[in-house]
Amino acid sequence: MNYNRTYNFSAGPATMPEPVLEEIRDEMMNYRGSGMCVMEMSHRSPVYQQIIDEAEQDLRDLMHIPDNYKVLFIQGGATLQFAMIPMNLMKNGVACYVETGAWSKKAIAEARKYGSVHVAASSKDRNFCYVPDCSDLDIPENADYVYICENETIHGVTWNQLPNVKGHVLVSDQSSMFLSRPCNVSDYGLIYAGVQKNVGPAGMVVAIIREDLIREDLDPRTPIYMSYKTHADNGSMYNTPNCWAIYCCGKVFKYLKSIGGLKEMEKRNMDKAKVMYDFLDSSKMFTGTVDKKCRSLMNIPFVTGDKELDAKVVAAAKAAGYDNLKGHKSVGGLRASVYNAMPREGVAALVEFLKKFEAENS
């Protein structure tokens, strides 16, 4: 069926799989004989309990999450985690952060409100176009954790090798690459991801945390909602959760399982990203901004070198049905976010458009 949908290259909220949207549409007015939409039903009902239970189990299946990790669905998105992580994990009041772009930079600023932050490595010297060597980081012995943003949405940089944390807890913001490739959860103490980029609608974060990191002895001033223990003890339903987001994410988890899981998803993502990067590497007008070995499969920033020409590309692309190509306001240029749900033909069509634009404007 033709819905006259545009190819949406937004960094988030982002495109979702059409089969998932169609299934949500079909259940909108009456979810499986309940007589109501999921948005209307009580989160305490048996019907909704089944929805959240299935969502958690399908995610566990997809990521092979060990039994000693809790899966939490928390409102507030990834930005709230910038504070929640140090509030919960800074037992000694010391943490290491690796600065690789705008989001790790914001996380560092927030963490400094709660303790001593040691920036163990940074790629600020080259405007965050690479991931620094983290094979021998200077990590204080009493550091409570080492924090990375595993895929920087704005700068388009991704980690292809995790840092050597020397026995310390690794915390990772996976927001813009969550479920895009296989992940060995046991390498981490905590993984979190805002769902609006690669999984579902905005307004929620998925947190996967090792049970021994869930503490009771927090500062007594810690808001009850900001404690991981609150969510773990109450099955993510201490208060009314983001019922709609959990429902939609659950649909996406089932969809990913149906196509072959994260290995298949990685294969598709590598294939379609290659289409875009091959074009950028051969273009005389457009240039990728990230070192090749650190290029994201999800967020692809590029420039013409001329701000006015960049703006002309964005306007022409939108008119042709390729939306949200404007780079983030903090860096400018252009950016194509090609998350899991972006089909290969969407990337191929964009490349053909850019080739035509280059030919007509060179």
Side-chain angles (χ1 to χ4, degrees), residues 215-357:
R215 295 168 50 205
E216 293 187 44
D217 60 334
L218 301 182
D219 186 316
R221 295 171 297 177
T222 304
I224 195 163
Y225 197 81
M226 297 288 280
S227 165
Y228 289 122
K229 188 171 181 355
T230 298
H231 302 280
D233 286 352
N234 292 278
S236 298
M237 287 203 279
Y238 172 76
N239 67 332
T240 307
N242 190 329
C243 298
W244 184 249
I246 293 168
Y247 162 74
C248 294
C249 291
K251 295 286 187 192
V252 172
F253 301 155
K254 286 187 185 298
Y255 169 77
L256 289 173
K257 288 175 72 174
S258 76
I259 66 168
L262 301 190
K263 285 185 178 179
E264 174 61 24
M265 198 67 254
E266 180 183 40
K267 179 182 174 184
R268 296 185 185 188
N269 286 330
M270 291 176 70
D271 180 45
K272 69 189 179 195
K274 185 176 185 300
V275 173
M276 189 70 187
Y277 285 124
D278 283 352
F279 163 70
L280 292 176
D281 289 342
S282 64
S283 172
K284 290 182 172 59
M285 176 178 286
F286 300 101
T287 306
T289 59
V290 177
D291 287 6
K292 288 186 178 182
K293 65 180 180 179
C294 305
R295 284 173 165 176
S296 171
L297 297 181
M298 299 285 98
N299 311 102
I300 305 176
F302 57 106
V303 295
T304 64
D306 182 305
K307 289 183 179 180
E308 290 185 5
L309 188 57
D310 286 346
K312 185 177 179 181
V313 174
V314 171
K318 184 175 176 63
Y322 309 101
D323 207 355
N324 293 305
L325 279 176
K326 185 178 180 179
H328 191 271
K329 60 184 179 181
S330 64
V331 296
L334 305 142
R335 174 179 54 176
S337 292
V338 291
Y339 296 122
N340 285 356
M342 173 59 66
R344 186 185 192 278
E345 53 265 31
V347 181
L350 174 62
V351 165
E352 288 308 308
F353 165 81
L354 292 173
K355 285 180 178 177
K356 184 171 182 288
F357 183 94

